[in-house]
């Protein structure tokens, strides 16, 4: 069985930078604390964390800060995917030592059209080298970005070889039919949707929850749907969540989310993107802000926690 903490809502936490483009560790810790206060877990170093713009050393430093500040490791699912096997192992070892709930692990994504045997070997070698009994892996399927799919046969092979380690997957492919196929094929496997748009459907088919970028701005509302999914008003709550996400369909997701946190939290460090990504323009923010106001976005106590 998968780790009991590997369920619910997790946020791929946005990473603030200072004017020199260095990660702002203290502000990062405060923002993680706010997300936790809203009931969500922390999938730090995910896609919307600008994870692949961060070095291994920077990720290790930020993870260390979270642990030093006594944020609960059982609510952490750090991203540890890397193109280099040694980098993946280093990050996974740190997560295992910290006793996080799991790691969220992209496949090695630079080389395309690699054989399934190669992907299996990468995960297997990482797991063998880490060697910790409590080490848990949640696979990360986002082929439209990584260019590498986590296929059903690969999942089956990994579960068969490492049933106590490979315990879940985040499906960010955007096709619920694929998510449903995973849920049907692998009972007990922790399947997370990669968007809260699919949260209710995922939970109705015994899924684990969602790992969603939108949990950076209104985690409480997403957690509320997760917790009240059996209620008569669940469909209406899902519709409201969908409307909030749609507000970001006309703006770049990461810059839009970071500008939202910067403005609502009075924290300019969140406006900064590390190149090659670029910050949201003022005209784009004005349009987004109008929509968010119309939708009634609330980020309770964010400015106080980030102060």
């Amino acid at each position: 069985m998968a780790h009991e903490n590997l369920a619910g809502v997790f946020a791929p936490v946005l990473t603030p930078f200072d004017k020199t483009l260095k990660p702002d560790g203290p502000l990062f810790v405060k923002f993680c604390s706010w997300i936790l206060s809203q009931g969500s877990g922390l999938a730090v170093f995910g896609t919307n964390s600008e994870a692949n713009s961060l070095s291994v050393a920077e990720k290790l430093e930020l993870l260390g800060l979270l642990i030093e500040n006594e944020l609960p490791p059982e609510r952490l699912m750090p991203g540890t995917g890397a193109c280099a096997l040694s980098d993946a192992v280093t990050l996974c070892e740190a997560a295992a030592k910290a006793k996080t709930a799991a790691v969220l692990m992209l496949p090695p994504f630079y080389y395309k059209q690699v054989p399934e045997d190669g992907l299996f070997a990468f995960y297997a070698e990482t797991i063998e080298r880490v060697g910790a009994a409590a080490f848990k892996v949640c696979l990360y399927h986002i082929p439209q970005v990584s260019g590498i799919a986590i296929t059903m046969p690969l999942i089956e092979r990994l579960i068969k070889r490492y049933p106590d380690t490979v315990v879940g997957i985040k499906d960010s492919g955007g096709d619920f039919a694929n998510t449903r196929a995973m849920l049907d094929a692998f009972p007990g496997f922790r399947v997370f949707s990669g968007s809260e748009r699919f949260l209710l459907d995922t939970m109705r088919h015994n899924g684990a929850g969602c790992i969603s970028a939108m949990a950076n701005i209104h985690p409480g509302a997403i957690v509320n749907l997760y917790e009240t999914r059996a209620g008569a008003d669940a469909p209406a709550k899902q519709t409201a969540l969908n409307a909030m996400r749609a507000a970001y369909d006309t703006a770049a997701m990461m810059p839009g989310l970071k500008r939202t946190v910067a403005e609502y939290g009075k924290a300019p460090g969140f406006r900064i993107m590390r190149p090659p990504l670029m910050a949201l323009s003022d005209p784009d923010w004005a349009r987004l802000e109008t929509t968010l106001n119309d939708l009634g976005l609330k980020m309770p106590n964010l400015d106080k926690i980030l102060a």
Side-chain angles (χ1 to χ4, degrees):
M1 292 297 293
H3 198 291
E4 61 183 7
N5 293 308
L6 197 59
V9 178
F10 287 80
V13 183
L14 301 169
T15 305
F17 296 100
D18 64 22
K19 293 180 180 179
T20 69
L21 300 180
K22 179 181 177 181
D24 186 331
L27 185 56
F28 179 73
V29 172
K30 291 177 181 179
F31 185 50
C32 286
S33 298
W34 178 76
I35 291 172
L36 286 170
S37 76
Q38 302 300 301
S40 173
L42 307 170
V44 294
F45 320 139
T47 298
N48 283 275
S49 311
E50 299 173 75
N52 289 299
S53 295
L54 297 171
S55 70
V56 171
E58 288 169 333
K59 293 175 187 177
L60 293 175
E61 182 178 358
L62 291 173
L63 179 60
L65 281 173
L66 296 179
I67 300 304
E68 289 170 17
N69 283 274
E70 299 183 345
L71 274 68
E74 67 273 12
R75 297 298 289 147
L76 284 168
M77 195 193 312
T80 60
C83 289
L85 176 66
S86 54
D87 287 347
V89 171
T90 296
L91 291 167
C92 288
E93 286 177 335
K97 183 178 180 180
K99 298 181 180 179
T100 64
V103 300
L104 184 59
M105 195 170 174
L106 278 169
F109 49 83
Y110 181 77
Y111 300 111
K112 304 302 188 286
Q113 298 180 333
V114 293
E116 180 186 297
D117 286 348
L119 296 175
F120 178 84
F122 187 93
Y123 282 112
E125 190 69 25
T126 301
I127 292 167
E128 297 288 349
R129 292 191 186 196
V130 174
F135 178 53
K136 307 297 180 187
V137 174
C138 186
L139 307 171
Y140 187 6
H141 174 72
I142 184 168
Q144 69 275 27
V145 176
S146 69
I148 303 291
I150 304 294
T151 64
M152 300 285 281
L154 177 59
I155 296 170
E156 185 174 15
R157 287 179 67 181
L158 288 167
I159 293 173
K160 185 175 181 179
R161 176 71 68 87
Y162 302 105
D164 297 323
T165 303
V166 180
V167 296
I169 190 167
K170 176 187 179 184
D171 184 3
S172 290
D175 178 8
F176 182 72
N178 188 66
T179 308
R180 174 71 186 275
M182 293 177 182
L183 289 163
D184 291 344
F186 309 115
F189 194 56
R190 299 299 179 94
V191 178
F192 292 86
S193 62
S195 167
E196 79 288 351
R197 276 182 171 141
F198 304 114
L199 177 56
L200 192 55
D201 285 337
T202 298
M203 299 313 301
R204 284 173 171 170
H205 292 90
N206 299 312
C210 74
I211 304 171
S212 171
M214 296 297 289
N216 280 286
I217 63 162
H218 66 157
I222 303 173
V223 170
N224 179 263
L225 174 58
Y226 171 80
E227 292 178 341
T228 64
R229 56 191 178 273
D233 59 350
K237 291 178 179 179
Q238 180 69 76
T239 298
L241 293 182
N242 294 350
M244 187 66 73
R245 174 171 278 266
Y248 290 84
D249 287 345
T250 57
M253 176 68 82
M254 279 184 273
L257 291 173
K258 292 191 79 172
R259 184 66 180 267
T260 303
V261 174
E263 298 293 342
Y264 279 72
K266 298 180 174 61
F270 276 100
R271 293 181 61 168
I272 300 169
M273 307 291 295
R274 184 176 267 187
L277 301 178
M278 299 298 291
L280 195 72
S281 70
D282 288 341
D284 284 344
W285 167 245
R287 287 188 289 271
L288 177 58
E289 183 182 26
T290 297
T291 303
L292 297 179
N293 288 337
D294 290 344
L295 293 171
L297 175 65
K298 306 293 183 185
M299 301 180 74
N301 298 316
L302 177 64
D303 55 344
K304 295 178 181 178
I305 290 178
L306 298 188

